[in-house]
Amino acid sequence: MCFQPVDLLISLIRLHGRFNRLCHSYLYKYSLYFMNGIKIKNAAKFAMFSLQYGFINTCLKSLVVDKFGEETWMQLRDEAGVQDTFLTYEVYKDDITMQLVAAACKLLDVKPEVVLRQFGEYFFDFCKRSGYDHMLRTLGGNLFEFIENLDALHSYLALSYKEMNAPSFRAERNGDGTMFLHYYSDRRGLCQIVPGIIEAVAKDFFNSEITMEIVNQIEELERTGKKEHVVFLVTQKPTFSNVMCSNKLSQTPPCLPKGPRRNGFSMCRNHWETVRGLVQLGKGKLLRGFEPVYPKNLCIDLKTFCNAFPFHIVFDKELMVRQAGVNVQKIVPGLQTMSIHLDQYFSIVHPEVTFTISSIRKFINSHFVLQTRRDMMPEAWRDRPMLELRGQMLWMESLQCMLYQASPLLRSLHELEERSMHISDIAPHDVTRDLILLNQQRLAEMELSNQLERKKEELRHLSQHLEEERTKTENLLYAMLPKHVANQLKEGKRVEAGEFKECTILFSDVVTFTNICSECEPIQIVNMLNSMYLKFDRLTTVHTVYKVETIGDAYMVVGGVPIPVSSHAERVANFALGMVIAAREVINPITGGPIQIRVGVHSGPVLAGVVGEKMPRYCLFGDTVNTASRMESHGLPNKIHLSPSVYLVLKDKGFMIQERGEIDVKGKGRMSTYFLEGNLTATEHEIMGRSVKEADSGRKPRDSESYGSLHSDNKSVEGGLPKPDHQLTRATLSQSPTPIEAEAPHSTKHIRTSFCVVL
């Protein structure tokens, strides 16, 4: 059940050396990062296309933000229907990534292969910027070695990231200097990421320009699961330096060897490579390369061999076990039986190939993970997690046997205890001992980092929620006070009162409001006023006037305050016309018909300022306020009563005005007043702020809708509204009432403060 030929020792020496170098390399790198305090959470970024973890989606988000801006990412996120941020250790469905890629193709109007290739290039740069440039550079001395060691790197990262489902890579040299790259993945449609990454690696690490094209794309039949198998042809582009190097090599003297072809790519030997090739060994013997010396006989006895390598297994072409280490025999007693087959007791976990010699030899450069079969384990192991071995296969041609040199695949001391194993079960020379102890600390740090990341995400959500609440509070404040006044109060500044030499003030009230209140339920009064005020509030936005206050049925607005404008009278006049039209749509709960309102308008100077601290209000002071109130109280139902000062401003601005004559005004004596009948330069739809499309379709905007101001700075200088370019009825108050429309919820955009009437 054992072998003594020299070939076995040679194979074991080679294998053991490679395995320990790899483990020591990883152990050394991790120790450096651990001592330097580098965050462990970024380590998983090297697992190419491990789409289950959040850093892949984070990388995709970073690509979109860097290349196209934050706005594009928000559109992409909404289009794909995914969240905004992704946690590093959180496992996400592959569908999220596929949705993001599909949405990017649609939004940017590019093909999927373009997006994936660009993502591959960016992913490589993303890993480098995360602090892992040095680790990636040490994977191999050239592109072939780099690709060969990707699977080993993924296996190393899988110690900490159990859910990682990374693809597999296999490189194959060709005689013409090209290379076949075999890519295996459980995820279809992502193969175009590979050229982006590999081309970026070749250019950055090995100063080489390559091209990659797909030569075959099939379902992998040799593997146990149906996986996508894509074969890329990798060709090095000829460069000027390569041509010059080739010319120099052709002139090399016969005594010196030409530059070797490393991994299928022509490489030029510089001065230092030539010097390193001339090595003096032994007693002055000059050699141009290293040639190992092998003993003629195996200088190790059987017991020592099996104890020194307690988890090795030797099996032949028929998978018949010919030799096994002592510890693997202790855990799997069936291996002590003569002529048993290895696939009866073990299954291959990685790579996912069928358990045959031909399949194993095809992936001979990959690391192999074997797992014990539960039904073949002793009774004591039935409730324990199965043992996994990780190691390398080495084919011994002279013996026609395969050597599997492995170590237990354990991620932590907890997993060691679950299998009732001890550190002493692992050979002292095996760095798996140190990896388990260091990984225990690493997992603890990862857990702390994960908790910190979750707290950070919670804090981000709280901050976002706080910002939304702050916006709501500011909007509420701006609805109570002018924006510049509110900002000064927030900053703790004192708001000084300001004098406005020209402004126009409007008052309105409901005719027979006292009678309506005495005969109706309170809720009917509230509904009627709410319906009316929602319509008026929308008109304040249309005509850019400032709502000062509502007290009962009284409604007060001002034009030219708090922002002075020259067209204040025209704005208030158009607003007044809109009020009378909008009032036709409000039902009187007593009569069932439209309500009637009185409107009074006056122009003049005022003083405006903030009064109070507990509930500050923006108030207007002056005789102009008093006169405007008198115009409203001495008006007529459904009429807009104008003072002489307003008439002087509006008489040449295209408004239809009717003279009322002299009347007695309380506290003012006799005054010549006027009625505003309409606007000859604007249609009813323009007065009401309805779009042309709605005017043609007959639809009226809801109370909550607004189309902005009909006035601009240019219009304010000339006054009035622009002439319409489509034929509609001019806005006059003699038209028949428009149909009543159902009310919609609306939040006022203006302040509600009290006004002071100076008698």
Side-chain angles (χ1 to χ4, degrees), residues 332 342-350 355 368-374 377 384-390 404 409 411 419:
V332 188
L342 188 62
D343 58 346
Q344 293 178 329
Y345 289 86
F346 289 91
S347 59
I348 300 180
V349 176
H350 183 275
F355 213 140
F368 278 77
V369 177
L370 302 187
Q371 185 183 62
T372 55
R373 295 185 181 274
R374 187 172 298 276
M377 292 296 288
R384 303 177 190 171
M386 290 295 97
L387 174 67
E388 290 184 346
L389 301 177
R390 182 184 64 180
Y404 178 55
L409 180 56
R411 299 174 178 85
R419 291 157 179 80

Side-chain angles (χ1 to χ4, degrees), residues 383-412:
D383 298 329
R384 303 177 190 171
M386 290 295 97
L387 174 67
E388 290 184 346
L389 301 177
R390 182 184 64 180
Q392 186 180 6
M393 298 286 183
L394 189 62
W395 177 248
M396 299 179 290
E397 185 65 32
S398 60
L399 301 177
Q400 293 294 295
C401 287
M402 186 73 71
L403 170 64
Y404 178 55
Q405 169 59 23
S407 298
L409 180 56
L410 300 170
R411 299 174 178 85
S412 63

Side-chain angles (χ1 to χ4, degrees), residues 613-624:
E613 291 184 356
K614 186 174 183 181
M615 186 176 290
R617 295 179 180 274
Y618 191 70
C619 299
L620 304 180
F621 302 91
D623 187 60
T624 302

Side-chain angles (χ1 to χ4, degrees), residues 193-395:
I193 300 179
V194 179
I197 293 181
I198 300 301
E199 289 175 5
V201 169
K203 183 177 181 179
D204 191 285
F205 287 171
F206 309 112
N207 196 25
S208 175
E209 295 285 341
I210 65 171
T211 59
M212 295 182 64
E213 57 178 321
I214 297 177
V215 296
N216 198 2
Q217 189 169 1
I218 58 175
E219 290 289 340
E220 181 56 47
L221 300 178
E222 296 179 359
R223 293 184 163 232
T224 55
K226 282 193 173 182
K227 287 198 172 188
E228 185 178 49
H229 177 195
V230 181
V231 182
F232 294 93
L233 176 62
V234 184
T235 307
Q236 184 181 21
K237 292 182 180 179
T239 60
F240 177 76
S241 59
N242 286 342
V243 174
M244 294 296 294
C245 188
S246 300
N247 293 336
K248 291 179 181 179
L249 287 177
S250 62
Q251 302 172 4
T252 302
C255 59
L256 291 178
K258 293 185 179 181
R261 298 176 65 85
R262 301 178 63 184
N263 302 323
F265 291 95
S266 178
M267 303 293 292
C268 298
R269 298 185 65 182
N270 57 27
H271 170 72
W272 290 110
E273 288 178 328
T274 304
V275 172
R276 283 195 293 269
L278 302 175
V279 183
Q280 187 174 6
L281 297 175
K283 296 181 179 180
K285 185 177 181 181
L286 191 64
L287 300 177
R288 293 190 176 90
F290 171 73
E291 293 291 339
V293 177
Y294 299 107
K296 295 182 179 179
N297 298 312
L298 184 62
C299 299
I300 185 172
D301 63 87
L302 299 179
K303 291 184 178 180
T304 302
F305 186 89
C306 291
N307 281 281
F309 306 100
F311 290 97
H312 82 278
I313 302 174
V314 178
F315 55 97
D316 58 20
K317 288 184 176 181
E318 287 74 30
L319 305 182
M320 188 176 297
V321 177
R322 311 296 294 274
Q323 184 174 307
V326 292
N327 285 349
V328 73
Q329 293 181 36
K330 181 173 65 175
I331 297 174
V332 188
L335 295 179
Q336 294 180 315
T337 307
M338 296 290 292
S339 304
I340 63 104
H341 289 80
L342 188 62
D343 58 346
Q344 293 178 329
Y345 289 86
F346 289 91
S347 59
I348 300 180
V349 176
H350 183 275
E352 296 182 15
V353 298
T354 55
F355 213 140
T356 61
I357 286 292
S358 59
S359 297
I360 294 174
R361 292 189 65 178
K362 180 172 285 189
F363 294 87
I364 196 72
N365 291 324
S366 300
H367 73 279
F368 278 77
V369 177
L370 302 187
Q371 185 183 62
T372 55
R373 295 185 181 274
R374 187 172 298 276
D375 55 342
M376 301 299 292
M377 292 296 288
E379 191 68 28
W381 273 81
R382 295 300 172 89
D383 298 329
R384 303 177 190 171
M386 290 295 97
L387 174 67
E388 290 184 346
L389 301 177
R390 182 184 64 180
Q392 186 180 6
M393 298 286 183
L394 189 62
W395 177 248

Side-chain angles (χ1 to χ4, degrees), residues 532-546:
M532 181 178 67
Y533 289 158
L534 287 177
K535 298 178 186 297
F536 293 172
D537 290 344
R538 192 184 68 83
L539 289 173
T540 60
T541 303
V542 173
H543 299 286
T544 320
V545 293
Y546 183 73

Side-chain angles (χ1 to χ4, degrees), residues 486-554:
N487 290 335
Q488 292 181 18
L489 291 177
K490 284 196 305 180
E491 295 172 2
K493 298 179 181 178
R494 182 177 179 180
V495 180
E496 300 292 339
E499 182 180 357
F500 296 85
K501 295 183 178 180
E502 293 183 359
C503 73
T504 300
I505 297 176
L506 176 149
F507 281 94
S508 74
D509 71 347
V510 178
V511 179
T512 68
F513 181 71
T514 304
N515 296 334
I516 296 175
C517 291
S518 63
E519 298 182 22
C520 295
E521 294 293 331
I523 189 62
Q524 293 177 298
I525 304 300
V526 171
N527 291 337
M528 181 191 73
L529 292 179
N530 185 58
S531 173
M532 181 178 67
Y533 289 158
L534 287 177
K535 298 178 186 297
F536 293 172
D537 290 344
R538 192 184 68 83
L539 289 173
T540 60
T541 303
V542 173
H543 299 286
T544 320
V545 293
Y546 183 73
K547 176 183 176 182
V548 180
E549 178 59 296
T550 58
I551 299 179
D553 63 327

Side-chain angles (χ1 to χ4, degrees), residues 489-744:
L489 291 177
K490 284 196 305 180
E491 295 172 2
K493 298 179 181 178
R494 182 177 179 180
V495 180
E496 300 292 339
E499 182 180 357
F500 296 85
K501 295 183 178 180
E502 293 183 359
C503 73
T504 300
I505 297 176
L506 176 149
F507 281 94
S508 74
D509 71 347
V510 178
V511 179
T512 68
F513 181 71
T514 304
N515 296 334
I516 296 175
C517 291
S518 63
E519 298 182 22
C520 295
E521 294 293 331
I523 189 62
Q524 293 177 298
I525 304 300
V526 171
N527 291 337
M528 181 191 73
L529 292 179
N530 185 58
S531 173
M532 181 178 67
Y533 289 158
L534 287 177
K535 298 178 186 297
F536 293 172
D537 290 344
R538 192 184 68 83
L539 289 173
T540 60
T541 303
V542 173
H543 299 286
T544 320
V545 293
Y546 183 73
K547 176 183 176 182
V548 180
E549 178 59 296
T550 58
I551 299 179
D553 63 327
Y555 196 93
M556 177 185 180
V557 299
V558 61
V561 176
I563 300 175
V565 290
S566 60
S567 60
H568 53 86
E570 297 95 299
R571 293 170 186 261
V572 174
N574 287 319
F575 174 77
L577 292 172
M579 290 179 74
V580 177
I581 296 173
R584 300 171 186 166
E585 303 174 5
V586 181
I587 298 298
N588 186 326
I590 296 178
T591 64
I595 64 170
Q596 294 181 318
I597 63 172
R598 285 189 299 260
V599 181
V601 184
H602 177 63
S603 295
V606 297
L607 187 70
V610 178
V611 177
E613 291 184 356
K614 186 174 183 181
M615 186 176 290
R617 295 179 180 274
Y618 191 70
C619 299
L620 304 180
F621 302 91
D623 187 60
T624 302
V625 179
N626 184 46
T627 304
S629 177
R630 293 289 181 258
M631 290 296 101
E632 176 268 321
S633 62
H634 289 75
L636 299 177
N638 287 341
K639 292 289 186 177
I640 302 172
H641 198 199
L642 304 181
S643 69
S645 61
V646 180
Y647 168 74
L648 292 176
V649 178
L650 298 180
K651 65 178 181 178
D652 297 325
K653 300 296 179 63
F655 289 94
M656 184 187 303
I657 302 175
Q658 178 185 354
E659 184 178 0
R660 183 181 184 183
E662 285 192 357
I663 62 171
D664 287 325
V665 179
K666 183 180 178 180
K668 298 295 179 181
R670 296 190 63 81
M671 294 179 62
S672 295
T673 59
Y674 305 83
F675 288 124
L676 177 63
E677 299 291 337
N679 189 335
L680 298 176
T681 63
T683 66
E684 178 179 321
H685 293 295
E686 289 175 317
I687 293 293
M688 298 303 295
R690 299 167 186 152
S691 64
V692 176
K693 182 177 180 181
E694 290 170 337
D696 295 337
S697 64
R699 174 187 176 271
K700 298 185 294 297
R702 296 187 301 271
D703 296 334
S704 59
E705 294 178 340
S706 175
Y707 297 96
S709 174
L710 295 178
H711 300 270
S712 64
D713 293 338
N714 294 332
K715 296 172 187 174
S716 65
V717 174
E718 298 297 330
L721 293 174
K723 292 184 179 181
D725 53 3
H726 53 87
Q727 297 299 322
L728 290 173
T729 306
R730 300 301 176 215
T732 62
L733 300 183
S734 60
Q735 298 177 16
S736 59
T738 56
I740 297 172
E741 182 180 353
E743 310 305 331

